[in-house]
Amino acid sequence: MRKANTSRLAATGLGLGVWLALVAPAAVGAAPRPAPHPAPARFVAHALPPDLATPAQARPPAAVQARLNELGVQREFRYAQVESQPSAWDLFWARFWRQVARWLSSRSYQGFWKWVLYALFIGAAVFIVLKLLQVDLTAAFGRAPRRAALDYDTAAENIHELDFATRLREAEDTGNYRLALRLGYLELLKKLTDQGLIDWQPDKTNHAYLRELADRRPAARAPFGELTRQFEYVWYGELALPAAGYRQARAAQQQLGQQLSPASRRAAA
Amino acid sequence: MDPLSSSDLNQPDSFAPAGADALPTPPADASAAQASTADTTFAPRTDLSSLTARTQAVRQEISRIIVGQADLLELLLTALLADGHVLLEGVPGVAKTLTAKLLARTLAVPFSRIQFTPDLMPADVLGTSIFRPAQGDFEFRPGPIFASVVLIDEINRGPAKTQSALVEVIEERTVTQDVQAHRMSSPFVVLATQNPIEQEGTYRLPEAQLDRFLFKLNVGYPTLAEEVQILQGHHSGFGSLALEQVQAVLSAQDLAALRQQVGQQRVEANVLEYIAKIVGQTRAHKALYLGASPRASLALLNGAKALAALRGRDFVTPEDVQFLAAPVLRHRIMLTPEREMEGGTPDEVVKQIVQSVEVPR
């Protein structure tokens, strides 16, 4: 195996040499040549004057050697060969890379890509499972969303569990007509839900119910709209509601509930 | 119909009382209010007739030029009454700048326009101190920001230092120069337009600056019928002359009085809690990296009060809060990278949050 690698390297080197010998000069030759300098109109050559200076005297070899000896004893020119010992860290990495090279040149390397493929499949499977379980992987890397714990419950009353009769009676007895009107309106919403005229959802507003009711019972739009307006003025607008006003509003609520009841609808049909 | 099933939370059709499915709108004039029961008048206890008339006049003036965009106009008027600044975002050519200019024209107050460019310096916006050789001292020359209605066009093309210079003036309404604070006049409204950050040469504004805008409004394309109407208008000679015909119908004093009236709107305790819950949910939502600040809660409250007044009520309903949730929150929250990669948008998350909180009733 090592022999094969050596011969492969030799072939690569040979190829590079051929390229340098044949292709590179051609590439250089193919480069655009600079334009020739334009010659003056009249070119006159002048002869240089003769060099009459005294020729330099070479030092005699003995003097040079003496000077070298003189410099050689100086501290600045005494070079010492420091032999460095590899550290434990260097030895570790050298050993590590030797092992890697040995493994790459071993027979087990032949199945390398097979193991890479297996690893990719396993990684993908783990990722899918974590995603399905909705595990937040980013929290492990520090950039986790800053989430504050809610100190309240986002869901409050369920109109299907309220005892309207009792609570309405309590509110009326205590003169809390604002609360009584609210309970009456919620009771109406429950009736409409039970009859399938609106689809009760905690996040829906009164206007959403008005639209739903108007689609299914157009005739109920106006009276329910008026009852909704009364509820909003009293509950959200904190409008003071006297007993007489409450009785009228309550009667209108009961009347609409009665009109939309299955029995009334059957009678009307 | 789900109140938030609309693709854009700005669409008032799913919330607003206007339209065929809406509640009967009470007369704004308390004296003309109808009595629903023998002893009780279900009508505003404060006289909102002036507010309704003046805001209707503004709408009419703007509608002379702008086709459609009823939601945008309502939200701009809401911001004006709530004393807030507005960031308008939309692709080029959807009349963002024109709408802002028209709104400014309907107000009889000083107006200035600043075109943000990559080489704009803070002094170009705020002003600078000039040396007076005769007196031997420096004199502050106010910049174009010193106006009552300031239109900042393409705000997200400006450099970071100029954006930072705006932070103080937008929130505190003062400009500090040479250790001296210069207070802005009232009203002071910044209407900024920007192209989406996907556009070439635009940058996301800093969170601190975004938080100071009451609303971020997405300006969408017109409907087919509206676009045909636009084409008909231009074909029949609509031009700059029409822009000149827009009259100022609201003075600074009028606006101050209307704002005072908006400040007196009633807000029931459960509605306050509803606002706090919605904003609080943004801090706990798993798709959000950054939730909204208490400033967002205040913005939602003030906006809802103004919207309720515009709609002829003297109290806030959860409907108002739901309608304004997206314009108030969409620029104040940051999606997690995973949610962004999944193609999620802030509006979708706001919609989920609103759906997760029970309406107080």
PDB file of all heavy atoms in Angstrom, chain A residues 143 154 156 182 202-204 206-207 211 221 226 229 236-237 244 248, chain B residues 14 20 22 36-39 42 45 281 283 319 322 337 358-361:
ATOM      1  N   ARG A 143     -28.425  30.791  23.294  1.00  0.00           N
ATOM      2  CA  ARG A 143     -29.338  31.807  22.779  1.00  0.00           C
ATOM      3  C   ARG A 143     -30.774  31.340  22.959  1.00  0.00           C
ATOM      4  O   ARG A 143     -31.526  31.206  22.008  1.00  0.00           O
ATOM      5  CB  ARG A 143     -29.045  32.100  21.318  1.00  0.00           C
ATOM      6  CG  ARG A 143     -29.642  33.430  20.869  1.00  0.00           C
ATOM      7  CD  ARG A 143     -29.187  33.789  19.477  1.00  0.00           C
ATOM      8  NE  ARG A 143     -29.585  35.138  19.134  1.00  0.00           N
ATOM      9  CZ  ARG A 143     -30.697  35.422  18.463  1.00  0.00           C
ATOM     10  NH1 ARG A 143     -31.460  34.479  18.037  1.00  0.00           N
ATOM     11  NH2 ARG A 143     -31.009  36.679  18.195  1.00  0.00           N
ATOM     12  N   THR A 154     -54.647  32.298  31.825  1.00  0.00           N
ATOM     13  CA  THR A 154     -55.249  33.020  30.708  1.00  0.00           C
ATOM     14  C   THR A 154     -56.697  32.603  30.460  1.00  0.00           C
ATOM     15  O   THR A 154     -57.378  33.217  29.673  1.00  0.00           O
ATOM     16  CB  THR A 154     -54.435  32.789  29.431  1.00  0.00           C
ATOM     17  OG1 THR A 154     -54.292  31.392  29.228  1.00  0.00           O
ATOM     18  CG2 THR A 154     -53.079  33.455  29.519  1.00  0.00           C
ATOM     19  N   ALA A 156     -60.435  32.030  32.096  1.00  0.00           N
ATOM     20  CA  ALA A 156     -61.199  32.390  33.285  1.00  0.00           C
ATOM     21  C   ALA A 156     -62.455  31.528  33.392  1.00  0.00           C
ATOM     22  O   ALA A 156     -62.375  30.331  33.547  1.00  0.00           O
ATOM     23  CB  ALA A 156     -61.535  33.875  33.242  1.00  0.00           C
ATOM     24  N   ARG A 182     -74.623  41.373  33.089  1.00  0.00           N
ATOM     25  CA  ARG A 182     -73.525  40.595  32.491  1.00  0.00           C
ATOM     26  C   ARG A 182     -73.884  39.106  32.492  1.00  0.00           C
ATOM     27  O   ARG A 182     -73.713  38.423  31.476  1.00  0.00           O
ATOM     28  CB  ARG A 182     -72.241  40.824  33.292  1.00  0.00           C
ATOM     29  CG  ARG A 182     -71.124  39.896  32.897  1.00  0.00           C
ATOM     30  CD  ARG A 182     -69.908  40.045  33.789  1.00  0.00           C
ATOM     31  NE  ARG A 182     -68.917  39.038  33.419  1.00  0.00           N
ATOM     32  CZ  ARG A 182     -68.615  37.988  34.157  1.00  0.00           C
ATOM     33  NH1 ARG A 182     -69.205  37.795  35.328  1.00  0.00           N
ATOM     34  NH2 ARG A 182     -67.726  37.122  33.752  1.00  0.00           N
ATOM     35  N   PRO A 202     -63.277  31.158  23.749  1.00  0.00           N
ATOM     36  CA  PRO A 202     -62.908  32.186  24.743  1.00  0.00           C
ATOM     37  C   PRO A 202     -62.300  33.449  24.132  1.00  0.00           C
ATOM     38  O   PRO A 202     -62.396  34.516  24.725  1.00  0.00           O
ATOM     39  CB  PRO A 202     -61.873  31.463  25.621  1.00  0.00           C
ATOM     40  CG  PRO A 202     -62.104  30.025  25.398  1.00  0.00           C
ATOM     41  CD  PRO A 202     -62.627  29.877  24.009  1.00  0.00           C
ATOM     42  N   ASP A 203     -61.673  33.329  22.953  1.00  0.00           N
ATOM     43  CA  ASP A 203     -60.993  34.495  22.397  1.00  0.00           C
ATOM     44  C   ASP A 203     -61.894  35.337  21.508  1.00  0.00           C
ATOM     45  O   ASP A 203     -61.472  36.382  21.018  1.00  0.00           O
ATOM     46  CB  ASP A 203     -59.771  34.057  21.587  1.00  0.00           C
ATOM     47  CG  ASP A 203     -60.162  33.226  20.389  1.00  0.00           C
ATOM     48  OD1 ASP A 203     -60.659  32.112  20.588  1.00  0.00           O
ATOM     49  OD2 ASP A 203     -59.975  33.704  19.249  1.00  0.00           O
ATOM     50  N   LYS A 204     -63.116  34.907  21.295  1.00  0.00           N
ATOM     51  CA  LYS A 204     -63.987  35.658  20.384  1.00  0.00           C
ATOM     52  C   LYS A 204     -64.634  36.843  21.100  1.00  0.00           C
ATOM     53  O   LYS A 204     -64.996  36.756  22.275  1.00  0.00           O
ATOM     54  CB  LYS A 204     -65.071  34.744  19.821  1.00  0.00           C
ATOM     55  CG  LYS A 204     -64.561  33.815  18.733  1.00  0.00           C
ATOM     56  CD  LYS A 204     -65.714  33.086  18.089  1.00  0.00           C
ATOM     57  CE  LYS A 204     -65.200  32.116  17.050  1.00  0.00           C
ATOM     58  NZ  LYS A 204     -66.296  31.299  16.502  1.00  0.00           N
ATOM     59  N   ASN A 206     -67.666  39.995  21.193  1.00  0.00           N
ATOM     60  CA  ASN A 206     -69.115  40.052  20.978  1.00  0.00           C
ATOM     61  C   ASN A 206     -69.453  40.276  19.516  1.00  0.00           C
ATOM     62  O   ASN A 206     -70.443  39.771  19.012  1.00  0.00           O
ATOM     63  CB  ASN A 206     -69.707  41.182  21.822  1.00  0.00           C
ATOM     64  CG  ASN A 206     -69.431  40.969  23.290  1.00  0.00           C
ATOM     65  OD1 ASN A 206     -69.316  39.825  23.731  1.00  0.00           O
ATOM     66  ND2 ASN A 206     -69.311  42.047  24.045  1.00  0.00           N
ATOM     67  N   HIS A 207     -68.610  41.049  18.847  1.00  0.00           N
ATOM     68  CA  HIS A 207     -68.870  41.343  17.436  1.00  0.00           C
ATOM     69  C   HIS A 207     -68.709  40.089  16.578  1.00  0.00           C
ATOM     70  O   HIS A 207     -69.404  39.936  15.574  1.00  0.00           O
ATOM     71  CB  HIS A 207     -67.927  42.445  16.949  1.00  0.00           C
ATOM     72  CG  HIS A 207     -68.194  43.748  17.607  1.00  0.00           C
ATOM     73  ND1 HIS A 207     -69.013  44.698  17.077  1.00  0.00           N
ATOM     74  CD2 HIS A 207     -67.782  44.239  18.799  1.00  0.00           C
ATOM     75  CE1 HIS A 207     -69.088  45.729  17.897  1.00  0.00           C
ATOM     76  NE2 HIS A 207     -68.343  45.478  18.957  1.00  0.00           N
ATOM     77  N   ARG A 211     -71.655  38.593  14.193  1.00  0.00           N
ATOM     78  CA  ARG A 211     -71.508  38.222  12.776  1.00  0.00           C
ATOM     79  C   ARG A 211     -71.995  36.791  12.546  1.00  0.00           C
ATOM     80  O   ARG A 211     -72.674  36.512  11.560  1.00  0.00           O
ATOM     81  CB  ARG A 211     -70.049  38.366  12.345  1.00  0.00           C
ATOM     82  CG  ARG A 211     -69.655  39.796  12.039  1.00  0.00           C
ATOM     83  CD  ARG A 211     -68.268  39.846  11.428  1.00  0.00           C
ATOM     84  NE  ARG A 211     -67.242  39.547  12.412  1.00  0.00           N
ATOM     85  CZ  ARG A 211     -66.650  40.452  13.165  1.00  0.00           C
ATOM     86  NH1 ARG A 211     -66.995  41.722  13.052  1.00  0.00           N
ATOM     87  NH2 ARG A 211     -65.712  40.122  14.033  1.00  0.00           N
ATOM     88  N   ARG A 221     -80.175  39.731  14.227  1.00  0.00           N
ATOM     89  CA  ARG A 221     -79.016  40.619  14.254  1.00  0.00           C
ATOM     90  C   ARG A 221     -79.311  41.917  15.039  1.00  0.00           C
ATOM     91  O   ARG A 221     -78.537  42.303  15.915  1.00  0.00           O
ATOM     92  CB  ARG A 221     -78.582  40.958  12.829  1.00  0.00           C
ATOM     93  CG  ARG A 221     -77.390  41.866  12.777  1.00  0.00           C
ATOM     94  CD  ARG A 221     -77.069  42.305  11.364  1.00  0.00           C
ATOM     95  NE  ARG A 221     -76.101  43.379  11.401  1.00  0.00           N
ATOM     96  CZ  ARG A 221     -76.424  44.651  11.544  1.00  0.00           C
ATOM     97  NH1 ARG A 221     -77.671  45.001  11.643  1.00  0.00           N
ATOM     98  NH2 ARG A 221     -75.476  45.580  11.600  1.00  0.00           N
ATOM     99  N   GLU A 226     -78.389  45.187  19.788  1.00  0.00           N
ATOM    100  CA  GLU A 226     -78.796  46.143  20.815  1.00  0.00           C
ATOM    101  C   GLU A 226     -78.457  45.615  22.208  1.00  0.00           C
ATOM    102  O   GLU A 226     -77.951  46.350  23.057  1.00  0.00           O
ATOM    103  CB  GLU A 226     -80.298  46.414  20.689  1.00  0.00           C
ATOM    104  CG  GLU A 226     -80.836  47.439  21.679  1.00  0.00           C
ATOM    105  CD  GLU A 226     -80.113  48.772  21.613  1.00  0.00           C
ATOM    106  OE1 GLU A 226     -79.612  49.146  20.532  1.00  0.00           O
ATOM    107  OE2 GLU A 226     -80.018  49.436  22.667  1.00  0.00           O
ATOM    108  N   ARG A 229     -74.832  45.977  22.733  1.00  0.00           N
ATOM    109  CA  ARG A 229     -74.479  47.376  23.024  1.00  0.00           C
ATOM    110  C   ARG A 229     -74.778  47.715  24.485  1.00  0.00           C
ATOM    111  O   ARG A 229     -73.982  48.367  25.168  1.00  0.00           O
ATOM    112  CB  ARG A 229     -75.252  48.316  22.099  1.00  0.00           C
ATOM    113  CG  ARG A 229     -74.612  49.688  21.977  1.00  0.00           C
ATOM    114  CD  ARG A 229     -75.106  50.369  20.735  1.00  0.00           C
ATOM    115  NE  ARG A 229     -76.408  50.957  20.927  1.00  0.00           N
ATOM    116  CZ  ARG A 229     -76.616  52.153  21.457  1.00  0.00           C
ATOM    117  NH1 ARG A 229     -75.584  52.866  21.868  1.00  0.00           N
ATOM    118  NH2 ARG A 229     -77.817  52.643  21.595  1.00  0.00           N
ATOM    119  N   TYR A 236     -68.291  47.172  30.133  1.00  0.00           N
ATOM    120  CA  TYR A 236     -67.012  47.827  29.818  1.00  0.00           C
ATOM    121  C   TYR A 236     -67.060  49.330  30.095  1.00  0.00           C
ATOM    122  O   TYR A 236     -66.059  49.935  30.472  1.00  0.00           O
ATOM    123  CB  TYR A 236     -66.647  47.606  28.349  1.00  0.00           C
ATOM    124  CG  TYR A 236     -66.518  46.154  27.947  1.00  0.00           C
ATOM    125  CD1 TYR A 236     -67.177  45.659  26.829  1.00  0.00           C
ATOM    126  CD2 TYR A 236     -65.727  45.274  28.677  1.00  0.00           C
ATOM    127  CE1 TYR A 236     -67.067  44.346  26.447  1.00  0.00           C
ATOM    128  CE2 TYR A 236     -65.615  43.944  28.309  1.00  0.00           C
ATOM    129  CZ  TYR A 236     -66.282  43.478  27.195  1.00  0.00           C
ATOM    130  OH  TYR A 236     -66.182  42.170  26.828  1.00  0.00           O
ATOM    131  N   GLY A 237     -68.241  49.919  29.860  1.00  0.00           N
ATOM    132  CA  GLY A 237     -68.354  51.368  30.040  1.00  0.00           C
ATOM    133  C   GLY A 237     -68.724  51.774  31.453  1.00  0.00           C
ATOM    134  O   GLY A 237     -68.797  52.965  31.759  1.00  0.00           O
ATOM    135  N   ALA A 244     -84.972  49.712  37.076  1.00  0.00           N
ATOM    136  CA  ALA A 244     -85.934  49.705  35.967  1.00  0.00           C
ATOM    137  C   ALA A 244     -85.241  49.402  34.642  1.00  0.00           C
ATOM    138  O   ALA A 244     -85.736  48.623  33.820  1.00  0.00           O
ATOM    139  CB  ALA A 244     -86.638  51.053  35.905  1.00  0.00           C
ATOM    140  N   GLN A 248     -85.828  46.052  32.126  1.00  0.00           N
ATOM    141  CA  GLN A 248     -86.134  46.123  30.691  1.00  0.00           C
ATOM    142  C   GLN A 248     -85.097  45.348  29.874  1.00  0.00           C
ATOM    143  O   GLN A 248     -85.439  44.603  28.952  1.00  0.00           O
ATOM    144  CB  GLN A 248     -86.157  47.581  30.240  1.00  0.00           C
ATOM    145  CG  GLN A 248     -87.462  48.281  30.599  1.00  0.00           C
ATOM    146  CD  GLN A 248     -87.716  49.479  29.705  1.00  0.00           C
ATOM    147  OE1 GLN A 248     -86.927  49.785  28.837  1.00  0.00           O
ATOM    148  NE2 GLN A 248     -88.844  50.147  29.949  1.00  0.00           N
TER     149      GLN A 248
ATOM    150  N   SER B  14     -62.830  42.547  10.174  1.00  0.00           N
ATOM    151  CA  SER B  14     -63.076  41.454  11.087  1.00  0.00           C
ATOM    152  C   SER B  14     -63.344  41.942  12.502  1.00  0.00           C
ATOM    153  O   SER B  14     -63.714  41.165  13.351  1.00  0.00           O
ATOM    154  CB  SER B  14     -61.875  40.514  11.083  1.00  0.00           C
ATOM    155  OG  SER B  14     -60.703  41.217  10.972  1.00  0.00           O
ATOM    156  N   ALA B  20     -71.892  46.007   7.585  1.00  0.00           N
ATOM    157  CA  ALA B  20     -73.217  45.409   7.704  1.00  0.00           C
ATOM    158  C   ALA B  20     -73.372  44.583   8.970  1.00  0.00           C
ATOM    159  O   ALA B  20     -74.457  44.523   9.549  1.00  0.00           O
ATOM    160  CB  ALA B  20     -73.476  44.536   6.493  1.00  0.00           C
ATOM    161  N   ALA B  22     -71.937  45.019  11.836  1.00  0.00           N
ATOM    162  CA  ALA B  22     -71.491  45.683  13.066  1.00  0.00           C
ATOM    163  C   ALA B  22     -72.662  46.047  13.965  1.00  0.00           C
ATOM    164  O   ALA B  22     -73.814  46.004  13.576  1.00  0.00           O
ATOM    165  CB  ALA B  22     -70.710  46.935  12.697  1.00  0.00           C
ATOM    166  N   SER B  36     -82.314  53.305  25.056  1.00  0.00           N
ATOM    167  CA  SER B  36     -82.655  51.924  24.776  1.00  0.00           C
ATOM    168  C   SER B  36     -83.647  51.386  25.771  1.00  0.00           C
ATOM    169  O   SER B  36     -84.400  50.492  25.487  1.00  0.00           O
ATOM    170  CB  SER B  36     -81.392  51.071  24.819  1.00  0.00           C
ATOM    171  OG  SER B  36     -80.550  51.460  23.784  1.00  0.00           O
ATOM    172  N   THR B  37     -83.621  51.898  26.946  1.00  0.00           N
ATOM    173  CA  THR B  37     -84.591  51.503  27.950  1.00  0.00           C
ATOM    174  C   THR B  37     -85.243  52.770  28.489  1.00  0.00           C
ATOM    175  O   THR B  37     -84.824  53.890  28.178  1.00  0.00           O
ATOM    176  CB  THR B  37     -83.930  50.744  29.105  1.00  0.00           C
ATOM    177  OG1 THR B  37     -83.070  51.627  29.784  1.00  0.00           O
ATOM    178  CG2 THR B  37     -83.158  49.541  28.618  1.00  0.00           C
ATOM    179  N   ALA B  38     -86.239  52.581  29.310  1.00  0.00           N
ATOM    180  CA  ALA B  38     -87.002  53.739  29.776  1.00  0.00           C
ATOM    181  C   ALA B  38     -86.150  54.693  30.596  1.00  0.00           C
ATOM    182  O   ALA B  38     -86.260  55.912  30.477  1.00  0.00           O
ATOM    183  CB  ALA B  38     -88.183  53.256  30.605  1.00  0.00           C
ATOM    184  N   ASP B  39     -85.252  54.136  31.442  1.00  0.00           N
ATOM    185  CA  ASP B  39     -84.520  54.980  32.384  1.00  0.00           C
ATOM    186  C   ASP B  39     -83.053  55.150  32.052  1.00  0.00           C
ATOM    187  O   ASP B  39     -82.372  55.955  32.677  1.00  0.00           O
ATOM    188  CB  ASP B  39     -84.633  54.389  33.796  1.00  0.00           C
ATOM    189  CG  ASP B  39     -86.082  54.233  34.212  1.00  0.00           C
ATOM    190  OD1 ASP B  39     -86.847  55.202  34.032  1.00  0.00           O
ATOM    191  OD2 ASP B  39     -86.449  53.148  34.669  1.00  0.00           O
ATOM    192  N   PHE B  42     -78.092  54.393  26.710  1.00  0.00           N
ATOM    193  CA  PHE B  42     -76.853  53.696  26.356  1.00  0.00           C
ATOM    194  C   PHE B  42     -76.145  54.507  25.269  1.00  0.00           C
ATOM    195  O   PHE B  42     -76.214  54.186  24.081  1.00  0.00           O
ATOM    196  CB  PHE B  42     -77.164  52.274  25.877  1.00  0.00           C
ATOM    197  CG  PHE B  42     -77.731  51.415  26.971  1.00  0.00           C
ATOM    198  CD1 PHE B  42     -79.082  51.155  27.045  1.00  0.00           C
ATOM    199  CD2 PHE B  42     -76.893  50.877  27.942  1.00  0.00           C
ATOM    200  CE1 PHE B  42     -79.606  50.375  28.057  1.00  0.00           C
ATOM    201  CE2 PHE B  42     -77.413  50.096  28.963  1.00  0.00           C
ATOM    202  CZ  PHE B  42     -78.770  49.840  29.023  1.00  0.00           C
ATOM    203  N   ARG B  45     -71.213  59.324  27.548  1.00  0.00           N
ATOM    204  CA  ARG B  45     -71.511  60.322  28.561  1.00  0.00           C
ATOM    205  C   ARG B  45     -70.743  61.609  28.322  1.00  0.00           C
ATOM    206  O   ARG B  45     -71.027  62.625  28.915  1.00  0.00           O
ATOM    207  CB  ARG B  45     -71.186  59.768  29.950  1.00  0.00           C
ATOM    208  CG  ARG B  45     -72.230  58.782  30.428  1.00  0.00           C
ATOM    209  CD  ARG B  45     -71.658  57.629  31.162  1.00  0.00           C
ATOM    210  NE  ARG B  45     -70.944  56.716  30.276  1.00  0.00           N
ATOM    211  CZ  ARG B  45     -70.386  55.574  30.664  1.00  0.00           C
ATOM    212  NH1 ARG B  45     -70.425  55.232  31.932  1.00  0.00           N
ATOM    213  NH2 ARG B  45     -69.769  54.799  29.792  1.00  0.00           N
ATOM    214  N   GLN B 281     -47.997  37.770  27.442  1.00  0.00           N
ATOM    215  CA  GLN B 281     -47.825  36.524  26.672  1.00  0.00           C
ATOM    216  C   GLN B 281     -46.678  36.619  25.677  1.00  0.00           C
ATOM    217  O   GLN B 281     -46.076  35.608  25.330  1.00  0.00           O
ATOM    218  CB  GLN B 281     -49.120  36.202  25.920  1.00  0.00           C
ATOM    219  CG  GLN B 281     -50.219  35.636  26.786  1.00  0.00           C
ATOM    220  CD  GLN B 281     -50.037  34.142  27.012  1.00  0.00           C
ATOM    221  OE1 GLN B 281     -49.083  33.551  26.572  1.00  0.00           O
ATOM    222  NE2 GLN B 281     -50.962  33.551  27.720  1.00  0.00           N
ATOM    223  N   ARG B 283     -43.915  37.770  26.232  1.00  0.00           N
ATOM    224  CA  ARG B 283     -42.659  37.477  26.953  1.00  0.00           C
ATOM    225  C   ARG B 283     -42.535  35.998  27.278  1.00  0.00           C
ATOM    226  O   ARG B 283     -41.497  35.559  27.757  1.00  0.00           O
ATOM    227  CB  ARG B 283     -42.602  38.299  28.243  1.00  0.00           C
ATOM    228  CG  ARG B 283     -42.617  39.785  27.971  1.00  0.00           C
ATOM    229  CD  ARG B 283     -42.920  40.579  29.218  1.00  0.00           C
ATOM    230  NE  ARG B 283     -43.407  41.905  28.855  1.00  0.00           N
ATOM    231  CZ  ARG B 283     -44.170  42.657  29.630  1.00  0.00           C
ATOM    232  NH1 ARG B 283     -44.529  42.224  30.814  1.00  0.00           N
ATOM    233  NH2 ARG B 283     -44.581  43.838  29.218  1.00  0.00           N
ATOM    234  N   GLU B 319     -62.589  44.510  21.823  1.00  0.00           N
ATOM    235  CA  GLU B 319     -62.546  44.619  20.356  1.00  0.00           C
ATOM    236  C   GLU B 319     -61.476  45.630  19.937  1.00  0.00           C
ATOM    237  O   GLU B 319     -60.706  45.382  18.996  1.00  0.00           O
ATOM    238  CB  GLU B 319     -63.912  45.103  19.882  1.00  0.00           C
ATOM    239  CG  GLU B 319     -64.223  44.822  18.447  1.00  0.00           C
ATOM    240  CD  GLU B 319     -64.990  43.522  18.320  1.00  0.00           C
ATOM    241  OE1 GLU B 319     -65.761  43.214  19.237  1.00  0.00           O
ATOM    242  OE2 GLU B 319     -64.771  42.819  17.335  1.00  0.00           O
ATOM    243  N   GLN B 322     -58.020  44.091  20.539  1.00  0.00           N
ATOM    244  CA  GLN B 322     -57.671  43.087  19.525  1.00  0.00           C
ATOM    245  C   GLN B 322     -57.312  43.755  18.199  1.00  0.00           C
ATOM    246  O   GLN B 322     -56.383  43.334  17.524  1.00  0.00           O
ATOM    247  CB  GLN B 322     -58.856  42.147  19.308  1.00  0.00           C
ATOM    248  CG  GLN B 322     -59.016  41.104  20.389  1.00  0.00           C
ATOM    249  CD  GLN B 322     -59.938  39.979  19.961  1.00  0.00           C
ATOM    250  OE1 GLN B 322     -60.518  40.003  18.889  1.00  0.00           O
ATOM    251  NE2 GLN B 322     -60.073  38.979  20.810  1.00  0.00           N
ATOM    252  N   PRO B 337     -34.810  32.510  15.838  1.00  0.00           N
ATOM    253  CA  PRO B 337     -34.275  32.153  14.511  1.00  0.00           C
ATOM    254  C   PRO B 337     -35.006  30.971  13.886  1.00  0.00           C
ATOM    255  O   PRO B 337     -35.231  30.946  12.680  1.00  0.00           O
ATOM    256  CB  PRO B 337     -32.817  31.823  14.811  1.00  0.00           C
ATOM    257  CG  PRO B 337     -32.503  32.524  16.078  1.00  0.00           C
ATOM    258  CD  PRO B 337     -33.764  32.574  16.856  1.00  0.00           C
ATOM    259  N   GLU B 358     -58.282  34.810  26.940  1.00  0.00           N
ATOM    260  CA  GLU B 358     -59.743  34.897  26.965  1.00  0.00           C
ATOM    261  C   GLU B 358     -60.189  36.352  27.022  1.00  0.00           C
ATOM    262  O   GLU B 358     -59.636  37.164  27.761  1.00  0.00           O
ATOM    263  CB  GLU B 358     -60.299  34.144  28.169  1.00  0.00           C
ATOM    264  CG  GLU B 358     -61.808  34.185  28.214  1.00  0.00           C
ATOM    265  CD  GLU B 358     -62.402  33.200  29.190  1.00  0.00           C
ATOM    266  OE1 GLU B 358     -61.621  32.483  29.844  1.00  0.00           O
ATOM    267  OE2 GLU B 358     -63.632  33.140  29.290  1.00  0.00           O
ATOM    268  N   VAL B 359     -61.195  36.628  26.227  1.00  0.00           N
ATOM    269  CA  VAL B 359     -61.758  37.979  26.207  1.00  0.00           C
ATOM    270  C   VAL B 359     -62.513  38.212  27.505  1.00  0.00           C
ATOM    271  O   VAL B 359     -63.355  37.389  27.882  1.00  0.00           O
ATOM    272  CB  VAL B 359     -62.708  38.134  24.990  1.00  0.00           C
ATOM    273  CG1 VAL B 359     -63.501  39.425  25.075  1.00  0.00           C
ATOM    274  CG2 VAL B 359     -61.930  38.083  23.701  1.00  0.00           C
ATOM    275  N   PRO B 360     -62.238  39.297  28.206  1.00  0.00           N
ATOM    276  CA  PRO B 360     -62.986  39.558  29.461  1.00  0.00           C
ATOM    277  C   PRO B 360     -64.436  39.880  29.130  1.00  0.00           C
ATOM    278  O   PRO B 360     -64.732  40.705  28.275  1.00  0.00           O
ATOM    279  CB  PRO B 360     -62.271  40.760  30.064  1.00  0.00           C
ATOM    280  CG  PRO B 360     -61.629  41.440  28.913  1.00  0.00           C
ATOM    281  CD  PRO B 360     -61.309  40.380  27.913  1.00  0.00           C
ATOM    282  N   ARG B 361     -65.321  39.219  29.850  1.00  0.00           N
ATOM    283  CA  ARG B 361     -66.732  39.419  29.523  1.00  0.00           C
ATOM    284  C   ARG B 361     -67.548  39.197  30.784  1.00  0.00           C
ATOM    285  O   ARG B 361     -67.242  38.337  31.557  1.00  0.00           O
ATOM    286  CB  ARG B 361     -67.137  38.439  28.435  1.00  0.00           C
ATOM    287  CG  ARG B 361     -68.509  38.694  27.852  1.00  0.00           C
ATOM    288  CD  ARG B 361     -68.849  37.722  26.779  1.00  0.00           C
ATOM    289  NE  ARG B 361     -68.242  38.104  25.509  1.00  0.00           N
ATOM    290  CZ  ARG B 361     -67.339  37.373  24.866  1.00  0.00           C
ATOM    291  NH1 ARG B 361     -66.908  36.272  25.388  1.00  0.00           N
ATOM    292  NH2 ARG B 361     -66.862  37.762  23.711  1.00  0.00           N
TER     293      ARG B 361
END
